[in-house]
């Protein structure tokens, strides 16, 4: 039997909030540095890592409440399972307008189960949220950005990731990390970096 991953105490989790949020921002900076030298695959991988660390910061931030409501198995899944973390990212990235649109649909269709196709269309109209496919594809895309692999038919290489693909991912990932830093009280630490990049840092705080 393998050794179970350790779970932090509330005090340790409080320390981990800032460490994880700062590391998320470091991955954003790494991504942009790699983009500047046109290594779009590796840059995209760092965007995924940034989101993973941002989710971890959010989990640590809510840790005292989570330990009261979840089992140790569930808590370990939050911290150590990539797909679970990316599912959290999708949920947390949903804007208020998207949540309202879904709720209105439910009111208009009492008792009906929304199909995945319909839900996907809602997400497509609110492109500030991660797409529903993010949870299943993020870790695979991260690996694609870091490694050369043979899939049985063709070679997969980080060099096949385009700048356009990187930029589409960058906007959502940056917003998620910025909002995470704002939520945990580190917004001012990245204010200057954002301003130098031309982002309106006071436009959309949590």
């Amino acid at each position: 039997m393998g050794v179970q991953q350790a779970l932090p105490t509330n005090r340790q989790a409080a320390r981990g909030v800032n460490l994880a949020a700062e590391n998320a921002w470091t991955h954003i900076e790494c991504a942009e540095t790699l983009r500047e030298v046109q290594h779009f695959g590796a840059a995209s991988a760092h965007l995924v890592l940034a989101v993973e660390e941002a989710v971890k910061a959010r989990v640590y931030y809510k840790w005292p409440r989570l330990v009261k409501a979840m089992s140790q198995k569930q808590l370990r899944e939050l911290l150590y399972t990539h797909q679970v973390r990316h599912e959290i990212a999708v949920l947390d990235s949903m804007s208020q307008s998207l949540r309202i649109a879904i709720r209105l649909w439910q009111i208009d269709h009492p008792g009906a189960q929304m199909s995945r196709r319909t839900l996907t269309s809602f997400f497509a109209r609110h492109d500030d949220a991660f797409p529903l496919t993010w949870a299943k594809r993020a870790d695979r895309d991260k690996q694609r950005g870091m490694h050369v692999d043979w899939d049985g038919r063709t070679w997969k290489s980080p060099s096949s990731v385009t700048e356009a693909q990187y930029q589409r991912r960058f906007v959502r990932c940056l917003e998620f990390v910025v909002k995470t830093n704002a939520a945990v009280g580190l917004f001012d630490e990245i204010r200057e970096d954002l301003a130098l990049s031309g982002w309106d840092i006071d436009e959309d705080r949590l």
Side-chain angles (χ1 to χ4, degrees), residues 6 21 24 35 40 92 97 112 125 132 142 152 174 176 184 196 203-204 206:
R35 177 194 61 79
F40 304 120
D92 280 3
S97 60
R125 293 197 295 271
L132 286 179
K142 178 179 67 178
L174 175 65
F176 190 79
V184 304
L196 290 173
E203 183 177 297
D204 190 22
L206 279 183

PDB file of all heavy atoms in Angstrom, residues 6 21 24 35 40 92 97 112 125 132 142 152 174 176 184 196 203-204 206:
ATOM      1  N   ALA A   6      -0.012  13.787   2.381  1.00  0.00           N
ATOM      2  CA  ALA A   6      -0.312  14.500   3.622  1.00  0.00           C
ATOM      3  C   ALA A   6      -1.356  15.587   3.382  1.00  0.00           C
ATOM      4  O   ALA A   6      -1.424  16.185   2.305  1.00  0.00           O
ATOM      5  CB  ALA A   6       0.960  15.126   4.181  1.00  0.00           C
ATOM      6  N   ALA A  21      -0.737  30.889  -4.687  1.00  0.00           N
ATOM      7  CA  ALA A  21      -1.153  32.007  -5.538  1.00  0.00           C
ATOM      8  C   ALA A  21       0.055  32.678  -6.187  1.00  0.00           C
ATOM      9  O   ALA A  21       0.018  33.026  -7.373  1.00  0.00           O
ATOM     10  CB  ALA A  21      -1.943  33.027  -4.707  1.00  0.00           C
ATOM     11  N   ALA A  24       1.277  30.467  -8.958  1.00  0.00           N
ATOM     12  CA  ALA A  24       0.409  30.570 -10.141  1.00  0.00           C
ATOM     13  C   ALA A  24       0.848  31.746 -11.007  1.00  0.00           C
ATOM     14  O   ALA A  24       0.940  31.637 -12.238  1.00  0.00           O
ATOM     15  CB  ALA A  24      -1.047  30.722  -9.715  1.00  0.00           C
ATOM     16  N   ARG A  35       6.569  32.533 -24.582  1.00  0.00           N
ATOM     17  CA  ARG A  35       5.858  33.014 -25.778  1.00  0.00           C
ATOM     18  C   ARG A  35       6.728  33.987 -26.559  1.00  0.00           C
ATOM     19  O   ARG A  35       6.745  33.958 -27.792  1.00  0.00           O
ATOM     20  CB  ARG A  35       4.560  33.708 -25.374  1.00  0.00           C
ATOM     21  CG  ARG A  35       3.792  34.314 -26.557  1.00  0.00           C
ATOM     22  CD  ARG A  35       2.724  35.272 -26.099  1.00  0.00           C
ATOM     23  NE  ARG A  35       3.244  36.404 -25.359  1.00  0.00           N
ATOM     24  CZ  ARG A  35       3.802  37.467 -25.938  1.00  0.00           C
ATOM     25  NH1 ARG A  35       3.937  37.552 -27.255  1.00  0.00           N
ATOM     26  NH2 ARG A  35       4.255  38.470 -25.187  1.00  0.00           N
ATOM     27  N   PHE A  40       5.611  28.127 -28.041  1.00  0.00           N
ATOM     28  CA  PHE A  40       4.203  28.213 -27.659  1.00  0.00           C
ATOM     29  C   PHE A  40       3.708  26.960 -26.944  1.00  0.00           C
ATOM     30  O   PHE A  40       2.794  27.037 -26.123  1.00  0.00           O
ATOM     31  CB  PHE A  40       3.344  28.494 -28.891  1.00  0.00           C
ATOM     32  CG  PHE A  40       3.755  29.730 -29.627  1.00  0.00           C
ATOM     33  CD1 PHE A  40       4.162  29.673 -30.960  1.00  0.00           C
ATOM     34  CD2 PHE A  40       3.769  30.962 -28.987  1.00  0.00           C
ATOM     35  CE1 PHE A  40       4.554  30.810 -31.639  1.00  0.00           C
ATOM     36  CE2 PHE A  40       4.161  32.109 -29.658  1.00  0.00           C
ATOM     37  CZ  PHE A  40       4.564  32.036 -30.988  1.00  0.00           C
ATOM     38  N   ASP A  92     -15.470  27.472 -10.998  1.00  0.00           N
ATOM     39  CA  ASP A  92     -15.153  28.780 -10.430  1.00  0.00           C
ATOM     40  C   ASP A  92     -15.050  29.875 -11.481  1.00  0.00           C
ATOM     41  O   ASP A  92     -15.181  31.066 -11.163  1.00  0.00           O
ATOM     42  CB  ASP A  92     -13.832  28.711  -9.651  1.00  0.00           C
ATOM     43  CG  ASP A  92     -14.003  28.107  -8.263  1.00  0.00           C
ATOM     44  OD1 ASP A  92     -15.140  27.686  -7.942  1.00  0.00           O
ATOM     45  OD2 ASP A  92     -13.025  28.047  -7.505  1.00  0.00           O
ATOM     46  N   SER A  97     -23.305  36.121 -14.873  1.00  0.00           N
ATOM     47  CA  SER A  97     -24.265  36.127 -15.988  1.00  0.00           C
ATOM     48  C   SER A  97     -24.488  34.721 -16.526  1.00  0.00           C
ATOM     49  O   SER A  97     -25.618  34.367 -16.913  1.00  0.00           O
ATOM     50  CB  SER A  97     -23.775  37.059 -17.100  1.00  0.00           C
ATOM     51  OG  SER A  97     -22.516  36.631 -17.604  1.00  0.00           O
ATOM     52  N   ALA A 112     -36.774  19.377 -16.240  1.00  0.00           N
ATOM     53  CA  ALA A 112     -35.967  18.881 -17.367  1.00  0.00           C
ATOM     54  C   ALA A 112     -34.488  18.879 -17.002  1.00  0.00           C
ATOM     55  O   ALA A 112     -34.016  19.704 -16.223  1.00  0.00           O
ATOM     56  CB  ALA A 112     -36.187  19.754 -18.594  1.00  0.00           C
ATOM     57  N   ARG A 125     -21.279  31.032 -25.222  1.00  0.00           N
ATOM     58  CA  ARG A 125     -21.740  32.426 -25.266  1.00  0.00           C
ATOM     59  C   ARG A 125     -21.157  33.275 -24.136  1.00  0.00           C
ATOM     60  O   ARG A 125     -21.323  34.484 -24.122  1.00  0.00           O
ATOM     61  CB  ARG A 125     -23.276  32.468 -25.222  1.00  0.00           C
ATOM     62  CG  ARG A 125     -23.940  31.884 -26.468  1.00  0.00           C
ATOM     63  CD  ARG A 125     -25.385  32.323 -26.559  1.00  0.00           C
ATOM     64  NE  ARG A 125     -26.211  31.807 -25.489  1.00  0.00           N
ATOM     65  CZ  ARG A 125     -26.860  30.635 -25.544  1.00  0.00           C
ATOM     66  NH1 ARG A 125     -26.750  29.866 -26.629  1.00  0.00           N
ATOM     67  NH2 ARG A 125     -27.607  30.230 -24.528  1.00  0.00           N
ATOM     68  N   LEU A 132     -16.322  23.504 -21.163  1.00  0.00           N
ATOM     69  CA  LEU A 132     -16.608  22.269 -20.430  1.00  0.00           C
ATOM     70  C   LEU A 132     -15.544  21.210 -20.675  1.00  0.00           C
ATOM     71  O   LEU A 132     -15.313  20.342 -19.833  1.00  0.00           O
ATOM     72  CB  LEU A 132     -17.975  21.726 -20.850  1.00  0.00           C
ATOM     73  CG  LEU A 132     -19.191  22.476 -20.315  1.00  0.00           C
ATOM     74  CD1 LEU A 132     -20.469  21.832 -20.850  1.00  0.00           C
ATOM     75  CD2 LEU A 132     -19.200  22.506 -18.808  1.00  0.00           C
ATOM     76  N   LYS A 142      -1.296  19.983 -21.413  1.00  0.00           N
ATOM     77  CA  LYS A 142      -0.064  20.315 -20.685  1.00  0.00           C
ATOM     78  C   LYS A 142       1.062  19.373 -21.110  1.00  0.00           C
ATOM     79  O   LYS A 142       2.188  19.823 -21.378  1.00  0.00           O
ATOM     80  CB  LYS A 142      -0.299  20.217 -19.181  1.00  0.00           C
ATOM     81  CG  LYS A 142       0.937  20.507 -18.333  1.00  0.00           C
ATOM     82  CD  LYS A 142       0.609  20.412 -16.849  1.00  0.00           C
ATOM     83  CE  LYS A 142       0.283  19.005 -16.434  1.00  0.00           C
ATOM     84  NZ  LYS A 142       0.000  18.887 -14.987  1.00  0.00           N
ATOM     85  N   GLY A 152       1.176   6.347 -32.278  1.00  0.00           N
ATOM     86  CA  GLY A 152       0.856   5.167 -33.078  1.00  0.00           C
ATOM     87  C   GLY A 152       0.614   5.497 -34.533  1.00  0.00           C
ATOM     88  O   GLY A 152       0.674   4.619 -35.398  1.00  0.00           O
ATOM     89  N   LEU A 174      -5.107  33.852 -17.573  1.00  0.00           N
ATOM     90  CA  LEU A 174      -4.679  35.069 -16.892  1.00  0.00           C
ATOM     91  C   LEU A 174      -5.797  35.603 -16.005  1.00  0.00           C
ATOM     92  O   LEU A 174      -5.577  35.951 -14.840  1.00  0.00           O
ATOM     93  CB  LEU A 174      -4.261  36.130 -17.904  1.00  0.00           C
ATOM     94  CG  LEU A 174      -3.898  37.490 -17.301  1.00  0.00           C
ATOM     95  CD1 LEU A 174      -2.657  37.388 -16.428  1.00  0.00           C
ATOM     96  CD2 LEU A 174      -3.689  38.527 -18.403  1.00  0.00           C
ATOM     97  N   PHE A 176      -8.265  34.027 -14.649  1.00  0.00           N
ATOM     98  CA  PHE A 176      -8.494  33.135 -13.511  1.00  0.00           C
ATOM     99  C   PHE A 176      -7.434  33.349 -12.432  1.00  0.00           C
ATOM    100  O   PHE A 176      -7.748  33.410 -11.237  1.00  0.00           O
ATOM    101  CB  PHE A 176      -8.480  31.680 -13.982  1.00  0.00           C
ATOM    102  CG  PHE A 176      -8.932  30.697 -12.945  1.00  0.00           C
ATOM    103  CD1 PHE A 176     -10.273  30.510 -12.680  1.00  0.00           C
ATOM    104  CD2 PHE A 176      -8.000  29.951 -12.227  1.00  0.00           C
ATOM    105  CE1 PHE A 176     -10.697  29.598 -11.715  1.00  0.00           C
ATOM    106  CE2 PHE A 176      -8.407  29.044 -11.264  1.00  0.00           C
ATOM    107  CZ  PHE A 176      -9.758  28.865 -11.003  1.00  0.00           C
ATOM    108  N   VAL A 184      -7.579  36.152  -2.689  1.00  0.00           N
ATOM    109  CA  VAL A 184      -6.781  35.787  -1.514  1.00  0.00           C
ATOM    110  C   VAL A 184      -5.954  36.959  -0.989  1.00  0.00           C
ATOM    111  O   VAL A 184      -5.130  36.810  -0.102  1.00  0.00           O
ATOM    112  CB  VAL A 184      -5.869  34.575  -1.806  1.00  0.00           C
ATOM    113  CG1 VAL A 184      -6.700  33.404  -2.288  1.00  0.00           C
ATOM    114  CG2 VAL A 184      -4.785  34.924  -2.821  1.00  0.00           C
ATOM    115  N   LEU A 196       2.006  47.146 -16.546  1.00  0.00           N
ATOM    116  CA  LEU A 196       3.047  47.184 -17.577  1.00  0.00           C
ATOM    117  C   LEU A 196       2.643  46.375 -18.807  1.00  0.00           C
ATOM    118  O   LEU A 196       3.099  46.642 -19.915  1.00  0.00           O
ATOM    119  CB  LEU A 196       4.367  46.651 -17.007  1.00  0.00           C
ATOM    120  CG  LEU A 196       5.053  47.555 -15.981  1.00  0.00           C
ATOM    121  CD1 LEU A 196       6.244  46.834 -15.362  1.00  0.00           C
ATOM    122  CD2 LEU A 196       5.488  48.871 -16.620  1.00  0.00           C
ATOM    123  N   GLU A 203     -10.640  46.860 -13.524  1.00  0.00           N
ATOM    124  CA  GLU A 203     -11.912  46.724 -14.242  1.00  0.00           C
ATOM    125  C   GLU A 203     -12.752  45.575 -13.734  1.00  0.00           C
ATOM    126  O   GLU A 203     -13.971  45.636 -13.682  1.00  0.00           O
ATOM    127  CB  GLU A 203     -11.637  46.529 -15.737  1.00  0.00           C
ATOM    128  CG  GLU A 203     -12.879  46.450 -16.594  1.00  0.00           C
ATOM    129  CD  GLU A 203     -12.537  46.336 -18.064  1.00  0.00           C
ATOM    130  OE1 GLU A 203     -11.931  47.260 -18.605  1.00  0.00           O
ATOM    131  OE2 GLU A 203     -12.860  45.293 -18.650  1.00  0.00           O
ATOM    132  N   ASP A 204     -12.111  44.482 -13.310  1.00  0.00           N
ATOM    133  CA  ASP A 204     -12.898  43.279 -13.027  1.00  0.00           C
ATOM    134  C   ASP A 204     -12.347  42.536 -11.825  1.00  0.00           C
ATOM    135  O   ASP A 204     -11.863  41.436 -11.941  1.00  0.00           O
ATOM    136  CB  ASP A 204     -12.898  42.361 -14.253  1.00  0.00           C
ATOM    137  CG  ASP A 204     -13.886  41.236 -14.114  1.00  0.00           C
ATOM    138  OD1 ASP A 204     -14.824  41.384 -13.318  1.00  0.00           O
ATOM    139  OD2 ASP A 204     -13.737  40.196 -14.770  1.00  0.00           O
ATOM    140  N   LEU A 206     -12.751  40.588  -8.175  1.00  0.00           N
ATOM    141  CA  LEU A 206     -13.769  39.691  -7.621  1.00  0.00           C
ATOM    142  C   LEU A 206     -14.689  40.449  -6.657  1.00  0.00           C
ATOM    143  O   LEU A 206     -14.226  41.305  -5.933  1.00  0.00           O
ATOM    144  CB  LEU A 206     -13.094  38.546  -6.851  1.00  0.00           C
ATOM    145  CG  LEU A 206     -12.571  37.385  -7.703  1.00  0.00           C
ATOM    146  CD1 LEU A 206     -12.010  36.320  -6.780  1.00  0.00           C
ATOM    147  CD2 LEU A 206     -13.657  36.798  -8.567  1.00  0.00           C
TER     148      LEU A 206
END
